[in-house]
Every structure is written in structure tokens, then in C-alpha cells.
Amino acid sequence: MSLSRSDLEAGNEQTRLLEASHSGIKLTTLSEDELQRSLQQTLQQQPANSDIWIFAYGSLIWNPLITYIERRTGIIYGWHRRFCTWMILGHGTPENPGLLLGLDRGGSCRGVIYRIAAADVPKELLLIWRREMIAGVYLARWVRVFDGTEEFKAIAFVANRQHPRYAHQIPLTTTVNSIATASGKLGSCADYLMRTVEGLMAEGIKDKKLLLLRKQVLAKQQALLVSSGS
């Protein structure tokens, strides 16, 4: 199953995480009040009652779940897309964690930006905060996005390097094996990768590292199939 807008509107994503923490999985999650405070602190850096841009680099591209009035492609500098956060619920389990994309320091990243109308900002950004910020694995940062002709300020969700689930300098073989084999309540980690690559390609964005990673993951899955059948 995929995450839905109704899940976020009902707070089901938060409930699912909290239930997991009570069932023996150690997770630190933000309350609704903490999410609201975090959101307001971020919005204080922009004029009140203004449209807000969101920079998407992973599942927000192919499953945005938000109401927006404009969508463009753009590039940011100083951050790159990387599978850098361990995921023990949505696309993985405690026994076989998956990996989640984040923005890590250095390089550049092409993605999609969404413009949310000022009137929709309170509701739509709260849904995004429930989705991206609840577990503390991301930090909300304002970034400059270039679309080739214009520059925008947008909110991006970057990897929290201080979080226990931050995956720092893991071997490529570990990354490939995790993505090829991990699966959770929101589907497989491999499907998350494939959908991200397809979403980027649909926007005319060719991420060479992700394309190579997709090839390696598919090869690993094929090897596992052959091994299990022998």
C-alpha cells in the first residue's frame, strides 16, 4: 500500500508510528503540537500570507498528496540525493531495515518544486510536516532553487545527521542489499527506488547514480531468485 492523503489528514501516519513505539520498536516521534511549532518556526523566515514553494527529490515527486497551484523542475546546490536514512517501518522492518532518500551535504540535486497558495499553506504544510518531520530523521531547511531562468526560496527536507538512523558512509553493497530485500507496510524499498527513478525520468531528470543503483538492485534481486531456485 502507498501512503494516502486521507492517512495524513486523519493523522494515521503519526498513529502508526506511535503504535510501533508501544509495541517494542524504539522510535522518537514528534507530537502534533511539536509539529505545529516546528512548522511555524520555519514559516517565520518568510513573509506572512505568502505562497510557499516545496522542493521534492523523492516520493514527493511521484506521490505528492498535496494541493498546489504550480509545479516546475529545478536544481539546488550544496545538497545531493542519497539513500542515507535507515527505515524500520514503512519500507523496512527492524529485522531488515530499508533505506530512505534524503538530501545530504555537498553536490547538487535536480528535483521538482511545488508552489502552494498562501490560503492553502496552513493545511497543506501541516500534512507535509506529518509526513516528513514526525520521526525527526529530516530537518526543514530553506534552499535556493534555480529553474534555469528564475530563483526561488523553497523548503527542503534534509537528512538529520545527528539522528540515530542516519546512515553515514555505508558500503555500496550494504545499500544495494538493503534496497533489494527490505519491505514494510508501505511496500518494498526497491519499489520506492523504481518509482523515484520513473518519477524523475518523467520530469526529464536523469539521475545517473540512481539509474546505476537501480541496475545493481535489479541484478541483486535476480541473483537472489536464482539462488533460491537452485
Side-chain angles (χ1 to χ4, degrees):
M1 61 174 288
S2 296
L3 186 65
S4 70
R5 182 180 173 92
S6 60
D7 288 332
L8 297 173
E9 289 175 332
N12 289 352
E13 176 73 358
Q14 180 166 328
T15 300
R16 181 175 61 81
L17 286 169
L18 291 173
E19 286 175 347
S21 66
H22 288 303
S23 64
I25 300 174
K26 294 181 179 180
L27 289 175
T28 300
T29 58
L30 299 183
S31 68
E32 191 77 358
D33 286 344
E34 288 172 324
L35 289 173
Q36 287 277 11
R37 285 198 295 273
S38 169
L39 172 55
Q40 292 307 314
Q41 288 171 358
T42 302
L43 291 179
Q44 284 175 2
Q45 301 178 47
Q46 280 286 92
N49 301 315
S50 61
D51 295 353
I52 297 293
W53 291 90
I54 297 291
F55 181 76
Y57 55 89
S59 64
L60 278 170
I61 294 175
W62 49 267
N63 190 29
L65 303 180
I66 55 172
T67 298
Y68 55 90
I69 57 175
E70 189 176 356
R71 173 184 177 126
R72 304 187 186 192
T73 59
I75 186 170
I76 62 173
Y77 295 95
W79 302 95
H80 67 284
R81 182 175 20 241
R82 185 170 82 85
F83 279 93
C84 58
T85 299
W86 291 110
M87 193 174 195
I88 60 177
L89 286 177
H91 297 284
T93 64
E95 297 76 23
N96 187 22
L99 280 166
L100 192 65
L101 281 170
L103 287 176
D104 213 352
R105 297 173 187 166
S108 62
C109 179
R110 292 189 179 276
V112 170
I113 49 174
Y114 300 101
R115 182 161 66 95
I116 301 174
D120 295 328
V121 163
K123 180 178 181 179
E124 299 305 313
L125 259 62
L126 178 58
L127 297 185
I128 295 177
W129 247 249
R130 286 175 177 170
R131 172 179 179 162
E132 305 293 338
M133 297 290 286
I134 185 169
V137 298
Y138 294 127
L139 301 172
R141 291 285 184 268
W142 287 98
V143 296
R144 292 189 302 165
V145 187
F146 303 88
D147 75 346
T149 58
E150 296 183 72
E151 177 183 323
F152 307 86
K153 282 187 67 177
I155 297 172
F157 299 96
V158 308
N160 180 359
R161 287 188 159 206
Q162 305 306 312
H163 197 277
R165 290 197 278 129
Y166 173 69
H168 181 65
Q169 294 183 339
I170 56 175
L172 177 59
T173 53
T174 300
T175 299
V176 171
N177 184 70
S178 174
I179 297 173
T181 62
S183 185
K185 291 184 177 180
L186 295 180
S188 71
C189 203
D191 184 60
Y192 171 84
L193 166 62
M194 305 307 166
R195 288 192 179 196
T196 300
V197 170
E198 291 166 3
L200 288 168
M201 295 285 282
E203 299 291 340
I205 301 171
K206 294 183 179 180
D207 186 313
K208 293 181 179 179
K209 290 184 177 180
L210 281 197
L211 288 170
L212 177 58
L213 184 58
R214 179 179 67 171
K215 181 178 179 180
Q216 293 167 318
V217 166
L218 290 172
K220 177 66 175 181
Q221 289 181 322
Q222 184 61 34
L224 291 171
L225 282 174
V226 172
S227 175
S228 64
S230 60

